[in-house]
Amino acid sequence: MYSSKGKAVVKVVSGNFLEMFDFMVYGFYASAIARTFFPSDSAFASLMLSFATFGAGFLMRPLGAIILGAYIDRHGRKKGLVITLGLMAAGTTMIAFMPGYEEIGIVAPLLVLAGRLLQGFSAGVELGGVSVYLSEIATPGKKGLFVSWQSASQQIAVVVAALLGVTLTTHLSAEQMTSWGWRVPFLFGCLIVPAIFIIRSTLQETPEFASRKKHPTLSEIWQSIFHNWRLILAGAAMVVMTTVSFYMITAYAPTFAKNELKMSELDSFLIAMLVGLSNFFWLPVMGALSDRVGRKPLLVGATVLTVLTAYPALIWLVSNPSFSHLLIVELWLSFLYGSYNGAMVVALTEIMPIEVRTTGFSLAYSLATATFGGFTPVVCTYLIHVLGDSAAPGIWLTLAALLGLAATLFLFRSHPSMAGKQTSPQPTGF
């Protein structure tokens, strides 16, 4: 039983690894990508365009959540997860092999944008599809632990992407990294696609979905989304905290370390790798803890601590920049992220109506990333530039935590049973 479920977890999160690996690589090499596809006399303008393209991919997530989510809720978890993998691979390939601006002009950044939009469309339902799959195969009383592996698999992607960055930075010059070195991680992503596709194609349908006699039609899915719009918006507000914190301490961290703290690329990649390992540890630990004490204590505790410490920690860091100080701040924020996300993702699967569980989860998650989380690197860059305050990203994270706290209190007041340990199916809406 446990062996077969363990294999199923590995199979389903393998594609999730690729999705996050591609996003991390783009964030880590934003500066090099900016010079390749978005040349400008202003380094700030070039970086802003690169990060804006990174964020643009998230704008497609809600559309992917609705279209692909409806497909998964109607036709099955397995079929939909195989489709999302193919779309993600296509977007990655476009970016990896795209000639630069100097070779083909304006067509280059436009096609890179198209690749990011395709990735975003696929990712719109990837997280939801994986999370729902894990929640439906979970051993009773261990749903938090099982679902936490969705996020934990992303951290492996962070570590691998950072490790590649350390290796490339050590062996290549800055000029080589800018001209072609940044493409190597994307090529790596392309090479592992066939293996991941084979692994995911052997997935079995979840027993819960397979046992249902009737699956919703498209019109019924739309009606349920409309009926539960308050639930979906509240869920999106709850997700904001996790997406902003994650992209701040991972995708944006190397750029922040290099531009604001004046650290080497090697140091910034080492930090990112250590943060990924920290996230990987805390996520399943906190997911399992939420099975014992309930979701609410972790969600409230993590958001309150973030509100109290995020900006002061950044102020202390920029006033005393060093490798050790950056590591301390990043590991603290990693602990807060892991505590919150370990409980948040499983809670989101539990509050969604079963007949539109994938669509509702994916739409809530996608709205959060499209409006807040995915644009964290560009917002942080802009805030620092406008306010003249290198600690300004702490303000953005504080606002996200306040929103997450408010959404948590609202949702758990509407669903009182969620405040305790989760061992039974949850209500299907307001």
Side-chain angles (χ1 to χ4, degrees):
M1 173 72 73
Y2 285 101
S3 175
S4 61
K5 287 191 175 182
K7 291 179 180 178
V9 170
V10 172
K11 288 178 180 180
V12 73
V13 301
S14 61
N16 203 41
F17 165 89
L18 178 65
E19 183 260 333
M20 187 49 59
F21 177 80
D22 292 337
F23 275 66
M24 285 301 103
V25 167
Y26 191 103
F28 286 171
Y29 298 99
S31 296
I33 292 173
R35 287 189 286 270
T36 301
F37 299 109
F38 307 97
S40 171
D41 294 333
S42 168
F44 167 72
S46 182
L47 185 60
M48 283 289 286
L49 285 171
S50 181
F51 275 141
T53 302
F54 176 82
F58 294 95
L59 294 177
M60 288 294 288
R61 284 197 171 198
L63 184 61
I66 293 173
I67 296 176
L68 297 176
Y71 179 88
I72 291 177
D73 280 326
R74 179 160 177 77
H75 297 285
R77 316 311 188 198
K78 174 186 175 180
K79 291 181 179 179
L81 289 173
V82 172
I83 290 175
T84 61
L85 178 61
L87 293 174
M88 179 61 65
T92 301
T93 303
M94 287 179 65
I95 298 175
F97 294 97
M98 189 61 56
Y101 185 91
E102 292 184 358
E103 286 76 29
I104 60 176
I106 192 63
V107 175
L110 290 177
L111 290 179
V112 168
L113 175 61
R116 286 289 301 137
L117 294 177
L118 188 59
Q119 288 180 327
F121 181 78
S122 167
V125 80
E126 173 70 21
L127 295 179
V130 171
S131 299
V132 168
Y133 189 98
L134 293 173
S135 72
E136 292 183 350
I137 68 168
T139 302
K142 296 184 181 295
K143 187 177 290 188
L145 175 61
F146 268 71
V147 177
S148 70
W149 288 108
Q150 178 266 113
S151 299
S153 68
Q154 296 178 340
Q155 311 315 311
I156 300 175
V158 174
V159 173
V160 172
L163 185 60
L164 281 172
V166 170
T167 303
L168 292 171
T169 303
T170 302
H171 292 88
L172 299 179
S173 66
E175 292 74 17
Q176 289 174 318
M177 283 298 299
T178 300
S179 62
W180 59 270
W182 66 267
R183 295 183 186 271
V184 174
F186 283 98
L187 294 174
F188 173 80
C190 294
L191 290 175
I192 65 176
V193 166
I196 295 177
F197 185 84
I198 292 173
I199 292 172
R200 179 165 278 189
S201 64
T202 61
L203 274 176
Q204 299 297 313
E205 188 54 77
T206 67
E208 182 173 340
F209 181 88
S211 64
R212 288 164 58 191
K213 302 299 183 182
K214 180 181 183 299
H215 302 298
T217 63
L218 287 178
S219 62
E220 289 172 337
I221 290 174
W222 278 106
Q223 289 174 8
S224 181
I225 291 175
F226 179 78
H227 176 71
N228 292 283
W229 66 270
R230 290 182 299 171
L231 177 64
I232 292 173
L233 289 181
M238 189 169 66
V239 175
V240 166
M241 162 65 181
T242 205
T243 57
V244 168
S245 58
F246 176 72
Y247 286 109
M248 181 177 293
I249 65 176
T250 56
Y252 178 65
T255 299
F256 178 79
K258 179 180 178 181
N259 292 354
E260 305 305 324
L261 305 180
K262 309 306 177 185
M263 293 184 181
S264 67
E265 285 191 339
L266 178 60
D267 284 346
S268 67
F269 282 126
L270 284 172
I271 292 289
M273 184 170 63
L274 293 172
V275 168
L277 291 172
S278 174
N279 291 344
F280 182 78
F281 172 79
W282 286 118
L283 285 164
V285 168
M286 293 305 179
L289 182 60
S290 76
D291 287 326
R292 297 180 64 85
V293 303
R295 321 303 183 201
K296 185 177 180 180
L298 293 181
L299 294 172
V300 172
T303 50
V304 169
L305 285 174
T306 302
V307 170
L308 294 176
T309 64
Y311 188 50
L314 267 292
I315 292 176
W316 174 74
L317 174 60
V318 299
S319 300
N320 306 274
S322 69
F323 181 89
S324 60
H325 289 174
L326 175 60
L327 181 60
I328 290 172
V329 171
E330 285 275 286
L331 291 181
W332 170 245
L333 296 179
S334 167
F335 167 74
L336 296 178
Y337 160 75
S339 300
Y340 186 85
N341 195 72
M344 188 280 299
V345 176
V346 64
L348 194 59
T349 67
E350 290 166 338
I351 64 176
M352 291 298 164
I354 185 173
E355 66 273 9
V356 290
R357 184 175 286 162
T358 303
T359 307
F361 180 105
S362 300
L363 185 56
Y365 216 105
S366 298
L367 288 173
T369 53
T371 54
F372 291 91
F375 286 94
T376 289
V378 72
V379 170
C380 291
T381 302
Y382 178 76
L383 288 176
I384 292 172
H385 181 76
V386 172
L387 300 178
D389 179 7
S390 295
I395 300 174
W396 182 238
L397 181 54
T398 300
L399 294 174
L402 287 171
L403 187 58
L405 177 60
T408 296
L409 296 176
F410 173 78
L411 283 169
F412 280 84
R413 184 180 62 191
S414 303
H415 294 75
S417 62
M418 291 183 59
K421 292 180 284 186
Q422 302 301 307
T423 57
S424 60
Q426 300 305 306
T428 60
F430 286 119

